Amino acid sequence: MRFLSSKVLKPIAASLITALLSNSVAFAQKEFKSGIEWPEPKVVNPGGAGLAPSDAIVLFDGKDLSQWKNGEKWIIKDGAAIASKSGISTKQAFGDIQLHLEWASPEKVEGNGQGRGNSGVYLMGKYEVQILDSFENKTYFDGQAASIYKQYPPLVNACRKPGEWQTYDIIFNAPRFDKEGKVSKPGHITVLHNGVLVQNHSELQGGTMYDRPPEYKAHPDKLPIDIQFHGNPVKFRNIWVREFKELLPPEKASVANKLKELNKTQEPKK
Ligand code: MG
């Protein structure tokens, strides 16, 4: 063993001790498991660039607007739907949703302020996420692109140039009303504009109106999505929507309460 110098042996011994110690720490720690019997999350193929996830409802794939009322009034050209004559409304009604759409304001810049590349997505036909050419085009901030119209400006202006395709990814939690028609849970909207967070779970104050302050009026749990025609030939493509539901464990007890309870039992006794 003479040829094994302490230079070689020392590091080996040190790493052995480290391995033993870290193992014993791992043995001392007990893994926490909540014991809540969650249902298994469904498998969804997330698709890819320009493709909808496998559980999405495709509202426009570049061919026709058959999923929309008044769709025949818009122009379909080169895989895009161009706003014309009137607004359009989905034939299907929706409540809580994730909505993806792509839009482009006209390449030929005309008008200014609210008159340039104006359209809008109306969730439940009542709550507008503004579409506007806000590239070097000033208007009131709670009316620019990605604002919740007359309620919240976007956190930042992530608008691309006129004519360039832009994305909105919207997460919408519909408001809930009690039997008396009062709001029991306000609506919330989160928006990513071109991948940039611009509305962070913003609490809706009611419908977004042009001529009066926001106000809630009780409505059904599901309603169509509208896209506005505001006189400008704004283009759209790749529109899809996913309905979502909270994942609930079979027991009715609130998950938050159950986890809090478990936390108490873990606390050391005094
Ligand atoms: Mg608008």
Side-chain angles (χ1 to χ4, degrees):
M1 295 291 279
R2 262 180 301 143
F3 52 87
L4 277 177
S5 73
S6 63
K7 265 186 192 170
V8 177
L9 281 175
K10 265 185 190 166
I12 293 173
S15 59
L16 262 175
I17 289 164
T18 313
L20 279 169
L21 275 175
S22 61
N23 264 339
S24 62
V25 169
F27 277 120
Q29 280 177 330
K30 206 175 154 220
E31 186 187 357
F32 164 70
K33 283 191 176 172
S34 76
I36 298 172
E37 286 179 31
W38 290 99
E40 187 177 1
K42 278 185 192 150
V43 173
V44 169
N45 180 340
L51 290 173
S54 58
D55 64 345
I57 297 163
V58 176
L59 295 174
F60 178 59
D61 64 357
K63 291 186 194 97
D64 62 67
L65 286 171
S66 56
Q67 303 288 320
W68 301 76
K69 281 182 201 153
N70 289 327
E72 70 284 355
K73 293 183 178 169
W74 284 28
I75 299 151
I76 311 290
K77 202 182 160 193
D78 302 329
I82 307 166
S84 178
K85 291 182 188 162
S86 85
I88 57 173
S89 265
T90 55
K91 290 178 181 170
Q92 194 174 332
F94 300 98
D96 295 342
I97 51 163
Q98 174 187 357
L99 175 67
H100 174 90
L101 63 90
E102 297 173 23
W103 59 275
S105 58
E107 209 166 339
K108 191 178 164 208
V109 173
E110 280 178 331
N112 55 51
Q114 292 289 307
R116 187 194 290 183
N118 194 333
S119 179
V121 194
Y122 284 80
L123 302 156
M124 305 193 103
K126 295 174 187 303
Y127 311 109
E128 183 186 12
V129 177
Q130 174 71 302
I131 289 175
L132 193 77
D133 174 7
S134 285
F135 186 84
E136 296 175 355
N137 177 37
K138 280 264 168 78
T139 184
Y140 42 94
F141 303 138
D142 54 4
Q144 71 180 62
S147 64
I148 293 170
Y149 190 66
K150 290 193 173 162
Q151 294 189 23
Y152 303 100
L155 296 171
V156 291
N157 180 353
C159 219
R160 292 196 204 277
K161 288 179 184 167
E164 289 184 12
W165 283 107
Q166 319 210 30
T167 58
Y168 273 178
D169 287 285
I170 299 173
I171 295 145
F172 174 59
N173 294 96
R176 307 295 203 264
F177 300 91
D178 63 20
K179 279 177 194 161
E180 282 76 48
K182 283 188 185 150
V183 182
S184 56
K185 204 177 170 192
H188 287 89
I189 301 182
T190 295
V191 182
L192 300 177
H193 183 188
N194 297 320
V196 176
L197 183 69
V198 287
Q199 297 290 344
N200 182 14
H201 201 59
S202 302
E203 184 182 308
L204 276 171
Q205 303 300 314
T208 55
M209 274 82 70
Y210 171 73
D211 57 352
R212 61 209 138 93
E215 191 188 356
Y216 272 118
K217 277 183 188 157
H219 56 66
D221 293 345
K222 291 188 178 194
L223 285 169
I225 303 163
D226 297 352
I227 301 182
Q228 187 185 40
F229 174 61
H230 197 281
N232 307 129
V234 177
K235 290 196 280 188
F236 292 86
R237 72 177 185 190
N238 197 21
I239 310 175
W240 53 258
V241 66
R242 292 182 61 247
E243 295 185 286
F244 62 81
K245 268 191 210 144
E246 232 181 295
L247 197 66
L248 289 173
E251 68 245 55
K252 293 268 160 62
S254 139
V255 171
N257 286 343
K258 177 111 198 232
L259 289 172
K260 264 180 217 154
E261 263 168 44
L262 286 164
N263 217 345
K264 270 183 212 157
T265 61
Q266 298 262 314
E267 272 171 23
K269 280 170 198 158
K270 279 169 195 165

